[in-house]
Amino acid sequence: DIKMTQSPSSLSASVGDRITITCRASQNIRTYLNWYQQKPGKAPKLLIYAASSLQTGVSSRFSGSGSGTDFTLTINSLQPEDFAHYFCQQSYSSPRSFGQGTKLEI
Amino acid sequence: EAQLLESGGGLVQPGGSLRLSCAASGFTFGSSDMCWVRQVAGKGLEWVATISGSRSTAYYADSVKGRFTISRDNSNNTLYLQLNSLRVEDTAVYFCAKDTSTFLNSNYYYYMDVWGKGTTVTVSS
């Protein structure tokens, strides 16, 4: 099974900041990488698929990059609604594993 | 607007059974692959099972294989997850999700683009 490791596990930032979250795969997953946002008590929301494709309706402040084993999620000009948990997920092979998550807090 | 609504969660003793349902609306359910994902409180996400839209082929995580069964009723736009031989470690919020594929740069990419709000399963004596 492919193991996904996110860093950092938690991150403190301020409104208006630019932040980056990293996701590393235990083997080459090409660009089969998705990013999700989850707020407390809510379902995950798809942000990015195929490493860098922005899901319809998601703010352009979110962007993704990377290929192979190393990926990043960048959020520009943080807004109050961006403070949440973020998860990466590989869709290269089954089981489609998730990272352990990154908590973005004020 | 595509929507999913889970139901059927509850408290059950170890070794017991439960059936979860997920009602779909706003998209072509019958041709959509669907899945279940669970989340232990305060922890990460774990894919549980997927069922294809057309042929109803099912795939399972090793942790639930032989105990859980995913199924669907395309005539009623409903997804199910039968949970048998439940263990304490199955305690989690269970989400159903639509599993979508996109053809991009000569490859098919899969992602979960519609999620329900989740239903809570608690396994405890």
Side-chain angles (χ1 to χ4, degrees):
Chain A
D1 296 0
I2 298 174
K3 181 175 172 63
M4 307 301 294
T5 303
Q6 288 180 235
S7 61
S9 296
S10 64
L11 175 61
S12 294
S14 300
V15 172
D17 284 353
R18 176 177 182 263
I19 66 97
T20 297
I21 298 170
T22 297
C23 179
R24 175 164 289 175
S26 61
Q27 67 184 73
N28 184 356
I29 59 169
R30 295 163 61 183
T31 54
Y32 290 89
L33 194 283
N34 306 320
W35 288 99
Y36 299 87
Q37 176 195 66
Q38 186 180 30
K39 297 181 180 178
K42 302 293 187 182
K45 173 187 174 182
L46 176 69
L47 300 174
I48 302 280
Y49 62 93
S52 60
S53 295
L54 192 67
Q55 170 67 349
T56 303
V58 173
S59 171
S60 58
R61 294 181 292 99
F62 293 88
S63 63
S65 65
S67 66
T69 59
D70 294 313
F71 302 86
T72 58
L73 173 71
T74 299
I75 312 175
N76 288 303
S77 186
L78 275 173
Q79 297 300 300
E81 61 267 28
D82 299 335
F83 293 93
H85 279 88
Y86 292 86
F87 295 93
C88 62
Q89 181 209 22
Q90 63 84 14
S91 60
Y92 181 78
S93 68
S94 184
R96 280 192 260 157
S97 43
F98 292 84
Q100 82 280 12
T102 294
K103 181 179 181 181
L104 175 59
E105 53 192 352
I106 301 175
Chain B
E1 179 190 2
Q3 290 188 332
L4 297 169
L5 183 62
E6 303 92 338
S7 60
L11 173 64
V12 61
Q13 292 187 337
S17 298
L18 213 53
R19 188 174 86 153
L20 308 183
S21 300
C22 171
S25 60
F27 64 96
T28 309
F29 178 78
S31 59
S32 299
D33 292 359
M34 299 294 297
C35 62
W36 290 94
V37 175
R38 67 184 181 182
Q39 184 173 36
V40 174
K43 302 294 184 183
L45 298 160
E46 179 188 16
W47 167 77
V48 172
T50 295
I51 186 167
S52 65
S54 53
R55 298 186 180 184
S56 292
T57 306
Y59 309 88
Y60 299 93
D62 286 345
S63 58
V64 306
K65 199 174 295 182
R67 301 188 298 122
F68 291 8
T69 302
I70 188 172
S71 62
R72 62 193 299 157
D73 180 350
N74 289 343
S75 63
N76 286 306
N77 290 348
T78 303
L79 176 72
Y80 300 101
L81 186 67
Q82 178 69 40
L83 291 69
N84 296 331
S85 303
L86 280 162
R87 305 167 180 168
V88 171
E89 56 265 33
D90 295 320
T91 296
V93 176
Y94 285 73
F95 297 99
C96 65
K98 176 171 161 284
D99 201 7
T100 296
S101 65
T102 292
F103 191 68
L104 184 65
N105 299 329
S106 304
N107 295 292
Y108 279 100
Y109 289 88
Y110 291 85
Y111 46 87
M112 301 162 187
D113 62 341
V114 182
W115 294 69
K117 296 180 187 299
T119 187
T120 301
V121 172
T122 303
V123 185
S124 175
S125 54

